Amino acid sequence: MKPAKVLSWTELTDVKIKCKAFAVPPPKVTWSRGLLPLRSNRIKILNGTLHIKRVQWAADTGPYVCNAENQLGKVSTVTTLQVQSTGKVISKPPKNS
């Protein structure tokens, strides 16, 4: 099982991080954010691949852990996602009265 160790993406693009694990019996592949479960409506896991829609610098930069587990054991590997800011203003500040 070998995803890339460090990935750099531009903010507001879609990211796919593959994690392929081969074993008999076939392992269940899960992803987490460090030790925390992934909780976002922008994140999905399909066939072991982590999909993040419109990555955000503050919310998505950091380590992601791919875990593969079957009855015989468990292995994990870490990929660090570096999101590069676009520098675009997403919301306007309030106007002074």
Side-chain angles (χ1 to χ4, degrees):
M1 116 176 201
K2 286 195 167 195
K5 295 292 181 190
V6 177
L7 296 175
S8 292
W9 287 87
T10 303
E11 193 172 34
L12 305 177
T13 59
D14 294 346
V15 172
K16 293 180 184 177
I17 306 174
K18 292 183 179 181
C19 184
K20 294 183 179 182
F22 302 98
V24 177
K28 178 182 178 185
V29 175
T30 59
W31 284 88
S32 62
R33 178 81 187 270
L35 299 174
L36 303 174
L38 296 172
R39 293 188 180 152
S40 171
N41 58 357
R42 296 181 301 107
I43 297 175
K44 291 188 176 9
I45 300 167
L46 302 169
N47 298 321
T49 299
L50 177 64
H51 297 254
I52 307 173
K53 287 189 169 201
R54 297 179 56 83
V55 291
Q56 299 170 8
W57 175 77
D60 299 320
T61 293
Y64 289 83
V65 180
C66 174
N67 300 293
E69 184 173 11
N70 66 14
Q71 298 91 325
L72 302 175
K74 179 179 179 178
V75 293
S76 299
T77 187
V78 177
T79 297
T80 300
L81 179 60
Q82 295 177 339
V83 179
Q84 307 300 319
S85 175
T86 61
K88 293 181 182 177
V89 176
I90 295 175
S91 62
K92 295 179 181 179
K95 292 182 180 180
N96 292 337
S97 306

Coordinates of all heavy atoms in Angstrom, one line a residue:
M1 N 0.9 -1.2 0.0 CA 0.0 0.0 0.0 C 0.9 1.2 0.0 O 1.7 1.4 0.9 CB -0.9 -0.2 1.2 CG -0.9 0.7 2.3 SD -2.3 0.2 3.4 CE -2.4 1.7 4.2
K2 N 0.7 2.1 -1.0 CA 1.6 3.2 -1.2 C 1.0 4.4 -1.8 O 1.1 4.6 -3.0 CB 2.8 2.8 -2.0 CG 3.8 1.9 -1.4 CD 5.1 1.8 -2.2 CE 6.1 1.2 -1.3 NZ 7.4 1.4 -1.8
P3 N 0.3 5.2 -1.0 CA -0.1 6.5 -1.6 C 1.1 7.5 -1.6 O 2.1 7.2 -0.9 CB -1.2 7.0 -0.7 CG -0.9 6.3 0.6 CD -0.2 5.0 0.3
A4 N 1.0 8.6 -2.3 CA 2.1 9.5 -2.3 C 2.2 10.1 -0.8 O 1.3 10.2 -0.1 CB 1.8 10.7 -3.2
K5 N 3.4 10.5 -0.5 CA 3.7 11.0 0.9 C 3.3 12.4 1.1 O 2.7 12.8 2.1 CB 5.2 10.8 1.3 CG 5.6 9.4 1.4 CD 4.9 8.7 2.5 CE 5.4 7.3 2.6 NZ 4.7 6.5 3.5
V6 N 3.5 13.3 0.1 CA 3.1 14.7 0.2 C 2.5 15.1 -1.2 O 3.1 14.8 -2.2 CB 4.3 15.6 0.5 CG1 3.9 17.1 0.5 CG2 5.0 15.3 1.8
L7 N 1.3 15.6 -1.1 CA 0.6 16.1 -2.3 C 0.3 17.6 -2.2 O -0.1 18.0 -1.1 CB -0.7 15.4 -2.5 CG -0.6 13.9 -2.8 CD1 -2.0 13.3 -2.8 CD2 0.1 13.6 -4.1
S8 N 0.5 18.3 -3.3 CA 0.2 19.8 -3.3 C -0.9 20.0 -4.3 O -0.8 19.6 -5.4 CB 1.4 20.6 -3.6 OG 2.4 20.5 -2.6
W9 N -1.9 20.7 -3.8 CA -3.1 21.1 -4.7 C -3.4 22.5 -4.5 O -3.2 23.1 -3.5 CB -4.3 20.2 -4.4 CG -4.1 18.8 -4.8 CD1 -3.5 17.8 -4.1 CD2 -4.5 18.2 -6.0 NE1 -3.6 16.6 -4.8 CE2 -4.2 16.9 -6.0 CE3 -5.2 18.7 -7.2 CZ2 -4.4 16.0 -7.1 CZ3 -5.4 17.9 -8.2 CH2 -5.1 16.5 -8.2
T10 N -4.0 23.1 -5.5 CA -4.5 24.5 -5.5 C -5.9 24.5 -4.8 O -6.7 23.6 -5.1 CB -4.5 25.1 -6.9 OG1 -3.2 25.0 -7.5 CG2 -5.0 26.6 -6.8
E11 N -6.1 25.5 -4.0 CA -7.3 25.6 -3.3 C -8.5 25.7 -4.3 O -8.4 26.2 -5.4 CB -7.3 26.9 -2.5 CG -8.4 27.1 -1.5 CD -8.2 28.3 -0.6 OE1 -7.7 29.3 -1.1 OE2 -8.6 28.2 0.6
L12 N -9.6 25.1 -3.9 CA -10.9 25.1 -4.7 C -10.9 24.1 -5.8 O -11.8 24.2 -6.7 CB -11.3 26.5 -5.1 CG -11.4 27.6 -4.0 CD1 -11.8 28.9 -4.6 CD2 -12.4 27.1 -3.0
T13 N -9.9 23.2 -5.9 CA -9.9 22.1 -6.9 C -10.3 20.8 -6.2 O -10.3 20.8 -5.0 CB -8.5 22.0 -7.5 OG1 -7.5 21.7 -6.5 CG2 -8.1 23.2 -8.3
D14 N -10.7 19.9 -7.0 CA -11.0 18.6 -6.4 C -9.8 17.7 -6.3 O -9.0 17.7 -7.3 CB -12.1 17.9 -7.3 CG -13.4 18.6 -7.3 OD1 -13.6 19.5 -6.5 OD2 -14.3 18.3 -8.2
V15 N -9.7 16.9 -5.2 CA -8.5 16.1 -5.0 C -9.0 14.6 -4.9 O -10.0 14.3 -4.3 CB -7.9 16.5 -3.7 CG1 -6.8 15.6 -3.3 CG2 -7.3 17.9 -3.8
K16 N -8.1 13.7 -5.4 CA -8.3 12.3 -5.3 C -7.0 11.7 -4.8 O -5.9 12.0 -5.4 CB -8.7 11.6 -6.6 CG -10.0 12.0 -7.1 CD -10.3 11.3 -8.4 CE -11.6 11.7 -9.0 NZ -11.9 11.1 -10.3
I17 N -7.0 11.0 -3.6 CA -5.8 10.4 -3.1 C -6.1 8.9 -3.1 O -7.0 8.4 -2.4 CB -5.5 10.9 -1.7 CG1 -5.3 12.4 -1.7 CG2 -4.2 10.2 -1.2 CD1 -5.2 13.0 -0.3
K18 N -5.3 8.2 -3.9 CA -5.5 6.7 -4.0 C -4.8 6.0 -2.9 O -3.7 6.4 -2.5 CB -5.0 6.2 -5.4 CG -5.9 6.7 -6.5 CD -5.4 6.1 -7.8 CE -6.3 6.6 -9.0 NZ -5.8 6.0 -10.2
C19 N -5.4 4.9 -2.4 CA -4.7 4.0 -1.5 C -5.1 2.6 -1.9 O -6.2 2.2 -1.6 CB -5.2 4.4 -0.1 SG -4.3 3.4 1.2
K20 N -4.1 1.9 -2.4 CA -4.4 0.6 -2.9 C -3.7 -0.4 -1.9 O -2.5 -0.3 -1.7 CB -3.9 0.3 -4.3 CG -4.7 1.2 -5.3 CD -4.2 0.9 -6.7 CE -5.0 1.7 -7.7 NZ -4.7 1.4 -9.1
A21 N -4.5 -1.4 -1.5 CA -3.9 -2.4 -0.6 C -4.3 -3.8 -1.1 O -5.5 -4.0 -1.5 CB -4.5 -2.2 0.8
F22 N -3.3 -4.6 -1.2 CA -3.6 -6.0 -1.7 C -3.3 -7.0 -0.6 O -2.2 -7.0 -0.1 CB -2.6 -6.2 -2.9 CG -2.9 -5.2 -4.0 CD1 -2.0 -4.1 -4.1 CD2 -3.9 -5.3 -4.9 CE1 -2.2 -3.2 -5.1 CE2 -4.1 -4.4 -5.9 CZ -3.3 -3.3 -6.0
A23 N -4.3 -7.9 -0.4 CA -4.1 -8.9 0.6 C -5.2 -10.0 0.4 O -6.1 -9.7 -0.3 CB -4.2 -8.3 2.0
V24 N -4.9 -11.1 1.0 CA -5.9 -12.2 1.0 C -6.2 -12.5 2.5 O -5.2 -12.8 3.2 CB -5.4 -13.4 0.3 CG1 -6.4 -14.5 0.4 CG2 -5.1 -13.0 -1.2
P25 N -7.4 -12.4 3.0 CA -8.6 -11.9 2.3 C -8.5 -10.4 2.0 O -7.7 -9.7 2.7 CB -9.7 -12.2 3.2 CG -9.1 -12.3 4.6 CD -7.7 -12.8 4.3
P26 N -9.2 -9.9 1.0 CA -9.1 -8.4 0.7 C -9.4 -7.5 1.9 O -10.3 -7.8 2.7 CB -10.3 -8.2 -0.4 CG -10.5 -9.6 -0.9 CD -10.2 -10.6 0.2
P27 N -8.6 -6.5 2.1 CA -8.8 -5.6 3.2 C -9.8 -4.6 3.0 O -10.2 -4.2 1.9 CB -7.4 -4.9 3.4 CG -6.9 -4.9 2.0 CD -7.4 -6.1 1.3
K28 N -10.4 -4.1 4.1 CA -11.3 -2.9 4.1 C -10.4 -1.7 4.2 O -9.5 -1.6 5.1 CB -12.2 -3.0 5.3 CG -13.1 -1.8 5.3 CD -14.1 -1.8 6.5 CE -14.9 -0.6 6.6 NZ -15.8 -0.5 7.7
V29 N -10.5 -0.7 3.3 CA -9.7 0.5 3.3 C -10.6 1.6 3.9 O -11.7 1.9 3.4 CB -9.2 0.9 1.9 CG1 -8.5 2.2 1.9 CG2 -8.3 -0.3 1.4
T30 N -10.0 2.3 4.9 CA -10.7 3.5 5.5 C -9.7 4.6 5.5 O -8.5 4.4 5.5 CB -11.2 3.2 6.9 OG1 -10.1 2.8 7.7 CG2 -12.2 2.1 6.9
W31 N -10.2 5.9 5.7 CA -9.3 7.0 5.8 C -9.7 7.8 7.0 O -10.9 7.8 7.5 CB -9.6 8.0 4.6 CG -8.9 7.5 3.3 CD1 -9.4 6.7 2.4 CD2 -7.6 7.9 2.9 NE1 -8.5 6.5 1.4 CE2 -7.4 7.2 1.6 CE3 -6.6 8.7 3.4 CZ2 -6.2 7.4 0.9 CZ3 -5.4 8.8 2.6 CH2 -5.2 8.2 1.4
S32 N -8.7 8.5 7.6 CA -9.0 9.4 8.7 C -8.1 10.6 8.6 O -7.2 10.7 7.7 CB -8.7 8.7 10.1 OG -7.3 8.3 10.1
R33 N -8.4 11.6 9.4 CA -7.6 12.9 9.4 C -6.7 12.8 10.7 O -7.2 13.2 11.7 CB -8.5 14.1 9.3 CG -7.8 15.4 9.4 CD -7.3 15.8 8.0 NE -6.5 17.0 8.1 CZ -7.0 18.2 8.0 NH1 -8.3 18.4 7.7 NH2 -6.2 19.2 8.1
G34 N -5.5 12.3 10.6 CA -4.7 12.1 11.8 C -5.5 11.0 12.5 O -5.7 9.9 12.0
L35 N -5.9 11.3 13.8 CA -6.6 10.3 14.6 C -8.1 10.5 14.5 O -8.9 9.7 15.1 CB -6.1 10.3 16.0 CG -4.7 10.0 16.2 CD1 -4.3 10.2 17.7 CD2 -4.4 8.6 15.8
L36 N -8.6 11.5 13.8 CA -10.0 11.9 13.8 C -10.7 11.3 12.5 O -10.1 11.3 11.4 CB -10.1 13.4 13.8 CG -9.5 14.1 14.9 CD1 -9.6 15.6 14.7 CD2 -10.2 13.7 16.2
P37 N -11.9 10.9 12.7 CA -12.7 10.5 11.5 C -12.9 11.6 10.5 O -13.0 12.8 11.0 CB -14.0 9.9 12.1 CG -14.1 10.5 13.4 CD -12.7 10.8 13.9
L38 N -13.1 11.3 9.3 CA -13.4 12.4 8.3 C -14.9 12.7 8.3 O -15.7 11.8 8.2 CB -13.1 11.9 6.9 CG -11.6 11.6 6.7 CD1 -11.3 11.0 5.3 CD2 -10.8 12.9 6.8
R39 N -15.2 14.0 8.5 CA -16.6 14.4 8.6 C -16.8 15.7 7.8 O -16.5 16.8 8.3 CB -17.0 14.7 10.1 CG -17.0 13.4 10.9 CD -17.6 13.6 12.3 NE -17.5 12.4 13.0 CZ -17.4 12.3 14.3 NH1 -17.4 13.3 15.0 NH2 -17.4 11.1 14.8
S40 N -17.2 15.5 6.6 CA -17.5 16.6 5.8 C -18.4 16.2 4.6 O -18.1 15.0 4.1 CB -16.2 17.3 5.2 OG -16.5 18.3 4.2
N41 N -19.3 17.0 4.2 CA -20.1 16.6 3.0 C -19.3 16.7 1.7 O -19.8 16.3 0.7 CB -21.4 17.4 3.0 CG -21.2 18.9 2.9 OD1 -20.0 19.3 2.9 ND2 -22.2 19.6 2.8
R42 N -18.1 17.3 1.8 CA -17.2 17.4 0.6 C -16.3 16.2 0.4 O -15.6 16.1 -0.6 CB -16.4 18.7 0.7 CG -17.1 20.0 0.7 CD -16.2 21.2 0.8 NE -15.4 21.2 2.0 CZ -14.1 20.9 2.1 NH1 -13.4 20.7 1.0 NH2 -13.4 20.9 3.2
I43 N -16.3 15.3 1.4 CA -15.4 14.1 1.4 C -16.2 12.8 1.2 O -17.2 12.6 1.9 CB -14.6 14.1 2.7 CG1 -13.7 15.3 2.8 CG2 -13.8 12.8 2.8 CD1 -13.0 15.5 4.1
K44 N -15.6 12.0 0.3 CA -16.2 10.7 0.1 C -15.0 9.7 -0.1 O -14.0 10.1 -0.5 CB -17.1 10.7 -1.2 CG -18.4 11.4 -1.1 CD -19.2 11.2 -2.3 CE -20.6 11.8 -2.3 NZ -21.0 12.7 -1.4
I45 N -15.3 8.4 0.2 CA -14.3 7.4 0.0 C -14.9 6.4 -1.0 O -16.0 5.8 -0.7 CB -13.9 6.7 1.3 CG1 -13.3 7.7 2.2 CG2 -12.9 5.6 1.0 CD1 -13.1 7.2 3.6
L46 N -14.3 6.2 -2.2 CA -14.8 5.3 -3.2 C -13.7 4.3 -3.6 O -12.7 4.7 -4.1 CB -15.4 6.0 -4.4 CG -16.5 7.1 -4.1 CD1 -16.7 7.9 -5.4 CD2 -17.7 6.4 -3.7
N47 N -13.9 3.0 -3.3 CA -13.0 2.0 -3.7 C -11.6 2.3 -3.2 O -10.6 2.1 -3.9 CB -12.9 1.8 -5.2 CG -14.2 1.3 -5.8 OD1 -14.9 0.5 -5.2 ND2 -14.6 1.9 -6.9
G48 N -11.5 2.8 -1.9 CA -10.2 3.0 -1.3 C -9.6 4.4 -1.7 O -8.6 4.8 -1.1
T49 N -10.2 5.1 -2.6 CA -9.7 6.5 -3.0 C -10.5 7.6 -2.2 O -11.7 7.6 -2.2 CB -9.9 6.7 -4.5 OG1 -9.1 5.6 -5.2 CG2 -9.4 8.0 -4.9
L50 N -9.7 8.5 -1.6 CA -10.3 9.6 -0.9 C -10.5 10.7 -1.9 O -9.7 11.1 -2.6 CB -9.3 10.1 0.2 CG -9.6 11.3 1.0 CD1 -10.9 11.0 1.8 CD2 -8.5 11.7 1.9
H51 N -11.8 11.2 -1.9 CA -12.2 12.3 -2.8 C -12.6 13.5 -1.9 O -13.4 13.4 -1.1 CB -13.4 11.9 -3.6 CG -13.2 10.8 -4.5 ND1 -13.1 10.9 -5.9 CD2 -13.1 9.4 -4.3 CE1 -12.9 9.8 -6.5 NE2 -12.9 8.8 -5.5
I52 N -11.9 14.6 -2.2 CA -12.3 15.9 -1.5 C -12.7 16.9 -2.5 O -11.8 17.3 -3.4 CB -11.1 16.4 -0.6 CG1 -10.6 15.3 0.3 CG2 -11.6 17.6 0.2 CD1 -9.3 15.7 1.1
K53 N -13.9 17.4 -2.4 CA -14.3 18.4 -3.4 C -13.9 19.8 -2.9 O -14.0 20.1 -1.8 CB -15.9 18.4 -3.5 CG -16.4 17.2 -4.3 CD -17.9 17.4 -4.5 CE -18.3 16.3 -5.5 NZ -19.5 16.7 -6.2
R54 N -13.4 20.6 -3.9 CA -13.1 22.0 -3.6 C -12.3 22.2 -2.3 O -12.7 22.8 -1.4 CB -14.3 22.9 -3.6 CG -15.1 22.8 -5.0 CD -16.3 23.7 -5.0 NE -16.1 25.1 -4.6 CZ -15.7 26.0 -5.4 NH1 -15.4 25.8 -6.7 NH2 -15.6 27.3 -5.0
V55 N -11.0 21.6 -2.3 CA -10.2 21.7 -1.1 C -10.0 23.1 -0.7 O -10.0 24.1 -1.5 CB -8.8 21.0 -1.3 CG1 -8.9 19.6 -1.5 CG2 -8.0 21.7 -2.5
Q56 N -9.9 23.3 0.6 CA -9.8 24.6 1.3 C -8.5 24.6 2.1 O -8.2 23.6 2.8 CB -11.0 24.9 2.2 CG -12.3 24.9 1.4 CD -13.5 24.9 2.3 OE1 -13.3 25.1 3.6 NE2 -14.6 24.8 1.8
W57 N -7.8 25.7 2.0 CA -6.5 25.8 2.7 C -6.6 25.5 4.2 O -5.9 24.6 4.6 CB -5.9 27.2 2.4 CG -4.6 27.4 3.2 CD1 -3.4 26.9 2.8 CD2 -4.4 28.1 4.4 NE1 -2.4 27.2 3.8 CE2 -3.1 27.9 4.7 CE3 -5.3 28.8 5.2 CZ2 -2.5 28.5 5.9 CZ3 -4.7 29.3 6.4 CH2 -3.4 29.2 6.7
A58 N -7.4 26.2 4.9 CA -7.4 26.0 6.3 C -8.1 24.7 6.8 O -7.6 24.1 7.7 CB -8.1 27.2 7.0
A59 N -9.1 24.3 6.0 CA -9.9 23.1 6.5 C -9.2 21.8 6.1 O -9.4 20.8 6.8 CB -11.3 23.2 5.9
D60 N -8.5 21.8 5.0 CA -8.1 20.5 4.4 C -6.6 20.2 4.4 O -6.1 19.1 4.3 CB -8.6 20.3 3.0 CG -10.1 20.4 2.9 OD1 -10.7 19.8 3.8 OD2 -10.6 21.0 2.0
T61 N -5.7 21.2 4.7 CA -4.3 21.0 4.7 C -4.0 20.1 6.0 O -4.5 20.4 7.0 CB -3.5 22.3 4.8 OG1 -3.7 23.1 3.6 CG2 -2.1 22.2 5.1
G62 N -3.1 19.1 5.8 CA -2.7 18.3 6.9 C -2.6 16.9 6.5 O -2.7 16.5 5.4
P63 N -2.3 16.0 7.6 CA -2.1 14.6 7.3 C -3.4 13.8 7.2 O -4.4 14.1 7.9 CB -1.4 14.1 8.6 CG -1.9 15.1 9.7 CD -2.2 16.4 9.0
Y64 N -3.4 12.9 6.3 CA -4.5 11.9 6.1 C -3.9 10.5 6.2 O -2.9 10.2 5.6 CB -5.2 12.1 4.7 CG -5.9 13.4 4.6 CD1 -5.3 14.6 4.4 CD2 -7.3 13.5 4.8 CE1 -6.0 15.8 4.3 CE2 -8.0 14.7 4.8 CZ -7.3 15.8 4.6 OH -8.0 17.0 4.5
V65 N -4.7 9.7 6.9 CA -4.2 8.3 7.2 C -5.0 7.3 6.4 O -6.3 7.3 6.6 CB -4.2 8.0 8.7 CG1 -3.7 6.6 8.9 CG2 -3.3 9.0 9.4
C66 N -4.4 6.5 5.6 CA -5.1 5.4 5.0 C -4.8 4.1 5.8 O -3.7 3.8 6.1 CB -4.6 5.2 3.5 SG -5.3 3.7 2.7
N67 N -5.9 3.4 6.2 CA -5.8 2.2 6.9 C -6.4 1.0 6.1 O -7.5 1.2 5.5 CB -6.7 2.3 8.2 CG -6.2 3.4 9.1 OD1 -5.1 3.4 9.7 ND2 -7.0 4.4 9.2
A68 N -5.7 -0.1 6.1 CA -6.2 -1.3 5.4 C -6.2 -2.4 6.4 O -5.2 -2.6 7.1 CB -5.3 -1.6 4.2
E69 N -7.3 -3.0 6.6 CA -7.5 -4.0 7.6 C -8.3 -5.2 7.2 O -9.3 -5.1 6.5 CB -8.2 -3.4 8.8 CG -8.3 -4.3 10.0 CD -8.8 -3.6 11.3 OE1 -9.3 -2.5 11.2 OE2 -8.8 -4.2 12.3
N70 N -7.8 -6.4 7.5 CA -8.5 -7.7 7.3 C -8.3 -8.5 8.6 O -7.8 -8.0 9.6 CB -8.1 -8.4 6.1 CG -6.7 -8.9 6.1 OD1 -6.0 -9.0 7.1 ND2 -6.2 -9.3 4.9
Q71 N -8.8 -9.7 8.6 CA -8.7 -10.6 9.8 C -7.3 -10.9 10.2 O -7.0 -11.2 11.4 CB -9.4 -12.0 9.5 CG -10.9 -11.9 9.2 CD -11.2 -11.7 7.7 OE1 -10.4 -11.1 6.9 NE2 -12.3 -12.3 7.3
L72 N -6.3 -10.7 9.3 CA -4.9 -11.0 9.6 C -4.1 -9.9 10.1 O -3.0 -10.0 10.6 CB -4.2 -11.6 8.4 CG -4.9 -12.9 7.8 CD1 -4.2 -13.4 6.6 CD2 -4.9 -14.0 8.9
G73 N -4.7 -8.6 10.0 CA -3.9 -7.5 10.5 C -4.3 -6.2 9.9 O -5.3 -6.1 9.2
K74 N -3.5 -5.2 10.3 CA -3.8 -3.8 9.9 C -2.5 -3.1 9.5 O -1.5 -3.2 10.2 CB -4.6 -3.1 11.0 CG -4.9 -1.6 10.7 CD -5.7 -1.0 11.9 CE -6.0 0.4 11.6 NZ -6.8 1.0 12.7
V75 N -2.6 -2.3 8.4 CA -1.4 -1.5 8.1 C -2.0 -0.1 7.8 O -3.1 0.1 7.4 CB -0.6 -2.0 6.9 CG1 0.1 -3.3 7.2 CG2 -1.5 -2.1 5.7
S76 N -1.1 0.9 8.0 CA -1.5 2.3 7.8 C -0.4 3.1 7.1 O 0.8 2.7 7.3 CB -1.8 3.0 9.1 OG -2.8 2.4 9.8
T77 N -0.7 4.1 6.4 CA 0.3 5.0 5.8 C -0.3 6.4 5.8 O -1.5 6.6 5.8 CB 0.6 4.5 4.4 OG1 1.7 5.3 3.9 CG2 -0.5 4.6 3.4
V78 N 0.6 7.4 5.9 CA 0.2 8.8 6.0 C 0.5 9.5 4.7 O 1.6 9.4 4.2 CB 0.8 9.5 7.2 CG1 0.5 10.9 7.3 CG2 0.5 8.7 8.5
T79 N -0.4 10.3 4.2 CA -0.2 11.3 3.1 C -0.5 12.7 3.7 O -1.5 12.9 4.3 CB -1.1 11.0 1.9 OG1 -0.8 9.7 1.4 CG2 -0.9 12.0 0.8
T80 N 0.4 13.6 3.4 CA 0.2 15.0 3.8 C -0.3 15.8 2.6 O 0.3 15.8 1.6 CB 1.4 15.6 4.4 OG1 1.9 14.9 5.5 CG2 1.2 17.1 4.8
L81 N -1.5 16.4 2.8 CA -2.0 17.3 1.8 C -1.7 18.7 2.0 O -1.9 19.2 3.1 CB -3.6 17.1 1.7 CG -4.3 17.9 0.7 CD1 -3.9 17.6 -0.7 CD2 -5.8 17.7 0.8
Q82 N -1.0 19.4 1.1 CA -0.7 20.8 1.2 C -1.5 21.5 0.2 O -1.4 21.3 -1.0 CB 0.8 21.0 0.8 CG 1.7 20.4 1.8 CD 3.2 20.6 1.5 OE1 3.5 20.8 0.3 NE2 4.1 20.4 2.4
V83 N -2.4 22.4 0.7 CA -3.3 23.1 -0.2 C -2.8 24.5 -0.3 O -2.5 25.2 0.7 CB -4.8 23.2 0.4 CG1 -5.7 24.0 -0.5 CG2 -5.3 21.8 0.6
Q84 N -2.5 24.9 -1.6 CA -2.0 26.2 -1.9 C -3.1 27.2 -2.0 O -4.0 27.0 -2.8 CB -1.2 26.2 -3.1 CG -0.1 25.1 -3.1 CD 0.9 25.3 -2.0 OE1 1.3 26.4 -1.7 NE2 1.3 24.2 -1.4
S85 N -3.1 28.3 -1.3 CA -4.2 29.3 -1.4 C -4.2 30.0 -2.7 O -3.1 30.3 -3.3 CB -4.0 30.4 -0.3 OG -4.9 31.4 -0.4
T86 N -5.4 30.3 -3.2 CA -5.5 31.0 -4.5 C -5.4 32.5 -4.2 O -5.2 33.3 -5.2 CB -6.9 30.7 -5.1 OG1 -7.9 31.2 -4.2 CG2 -7.1 29.3 -5.5
G87 N -5.6 32.9 -3.0 CA -5.5 34.4 -2.7 C -6.8 35.1 -3.0 O -6.9 36.3 -2.9
K88 N -7.8 34.3 -3.4 CA -9.1 35.0 -3.8 C -9.9 35.2 -2.5 O -9.9 34.4 -1.6 CB -9.9 34.0 -4.7 CG -9.3 33.9 -6.0 CD -10.2 33.0 -6.9 CE -9.5 32.7 -8.3 NZ -10.3 31.8 -9.1
V89 N -10.7 36.3 -2.5 CA -11.5 36.6 -1.4 C -12.9 35.9 -1.6 O -13.5 36.1 -2.7 CB -11.8 38.1 -1.2 CG1 -12.8 38.4 -0.1 CG2 -10.4 38.8 -1.0
I90 N -13.3 35.0 -0.7 CA -14.5 34.3 -0.8 C -15.7 35.1 -0.4 O -16.8 35.0 -0.9 CB -14.4 32.9 -0.1 CG1 -13.3 32.1 -0.8 CG2 -15.7 32.2 -0.1 CD1 -13.0 30.8 -0.1
S91 N -15.6 35.8 0.7 CA -16.7 36.7 1.1 C -16.1 38.1 1.3 O -15.0 38.3 1.6 CB -17.3 36.1 2.4 OG -16.3 36.2 3.4
K92 N -17.0 39.1 1.1 CA -16.6 40.5 1.3 C -16.7 40.9 2.7 O -17.7 40.5 3.4 CB -17.5 41.3 0.4 CG -17.3 41.1 -1.1 CD -18.2 42.0 -1.9 CE -18.0 41.7 -3.4 NZ -18.9 42.5 -4.2
P93 N -15.8 41.7 3.2 CA -16.0 42.3 4.6 C -17.1 43.2 4.6 O -17.5 43.8 3.6 CB -14.6 43.0 4.8 CG -14.1 43.3 3.5 CD -14.6 42.2 2.5
P94 N -17.7 43.4 5.8 CA -18.8 44.4 5.9 C -18.4 45.8 5.6 O -17.2 46.2 5.9 CB -19.3 44.3 7.4 CG -18.1 43.7 8.1 CD -17.4 42.8 7.1
K95 N -19.3 46.6 5.1 CA -19.0 48.0 4.7 C -19.1 48.8 6.0 O -19.9 48.6 6.8 CB -19.9 48.5 3.7 CG -19.8 47.9 2.4 CD -20.8 48.5 1.4 CE -20.6 47.8 0.0 NZ -21.5 48.4 -1.0
N96 N -18.2 49.8 6.1 CA -18.2 50.7 7.3 C -19.4 51.7 7.0 O -19.6 52.2 5.9 CB -16.9 51.5 7.4 CG -15.8 50.6 7.8 OD1 -16.0 49.6 8.4 ND2 -14.6 51.0 7.5
S97 N -20.1 52.1 8.1 CA -21.2 53.0 8.0 C -20.7 54.4 8.0 O -19.9 54.8 8.7 CB -22.2 52.8 9.1 OG -22.6 51.4 9.2

